[in-house]
Amino acid sequence: MNTTTSTPDLTQRPPRGPRVRLGGYVLLPRIVDKGRASLAGKLGEYHFAGKGMDRHFFSFTGLSHEALAKEIAKGVGDGELLAWVNANATPPRQPWEIAAWSDYHEHRAPDSDAETILFFAEAVGKFTKTREDIHTWFDLLDLDDHCSFGGKA
């Protein structure tokens, strides 16, 4: 793999945002960036372990992050990775399923239980006490990425 041009250095900048889609899948480009960075030792504070928000993609596709990491290690591009995901997803997903799943996650807010709402509010509060436009988990990820690399909330 050509690490000088194709591997993101996540010690210097964030991965692609969670809303960026590849083959209709939200999160997938972000996961791919983290996988490439992990293999190159440039993961920074990010995690590539199939957990956190990433677990939703792996659960939906029936893939493991280990299997995806092996495919990423071959040095293939995004299009080839997408073809691999589509060929190996269990069960195979139709475009309408991918779109519905992605739309759900793009708009997913914290669950209504007090513990989750408090966790979300505290996470947002680490960056800002005044912003009232952070409603979804993706909003929080975007804010975290922005502030972690010097941006102001």
Side-chain angles (χ1 to χ4, degrees), residues 1 10 20 22-23 26 59 66 68 78 81 86 97 114 117 133 136 141 145-146:
M1 176 157 65
L10 302 186
V20 177
L22 176 58
V26 294
S59 176
E66 296 91 353
L68 182 61
D78 285 2
L81 286 171
N86 287 334
E97 292 176 288
I117 290 172
D133 61 327
T136 70
L141 282 177
D145 285 348
H146 178 70

Side-chain angles (χ1 to χ4, degrees), residues 18-28 53 56-57 60 94-109 135-139:
R19 290 178 178 85
V20 177
R21 295 182 186 215
L22 176 58
Y25 293 100
V26 294
L27 294 171
L28 180 55
M53 190 68 69
H56 299 293
F57 170 80
F60 180 68
Q94 298 299 313
W96 69 267
E97 292 176 288
I98 297 167
W101 176 85
S102 290
D103 289 345
Y104 168 76
H105 281 285
E106 190 168 344
H107 297 96
R108 189 170 148 254
H135 301 288
T136 70
W137 292 106
F138 283 11
D139 292 341

Side-chain angles (χ1 to χ4, degrees), residues 118-150:
L118 181 60
F119 174 84
F120 186 84
E122 288 173 350
V124 172
K126 291 177 185 175
F127 303 108
T128 179
K129 303 292 186 202
T130 59
R131 298 264 308 263
E132 295 182 8
D133 61 327
I134 308 301
H135 301 288
T136 70
W137 292 106
F138 283 11
D139 292 341
L140 177 58
L141 282 177
D142 286 339
L143 180 65
D144 186 350
D145 285 348
H146 178 70
C147 292
S148 294
F149 287 91

Side-chain angles (χ1 to χ4, degrees), residues 63-79:
L63 301 171
S64 71
H65 85 279
E66 296 91 353
L68 182 61
K70 287 180 184 176
E71 201 62 25
I72 291 169
K74 295 178 181 178
V76 300
D78 285 2

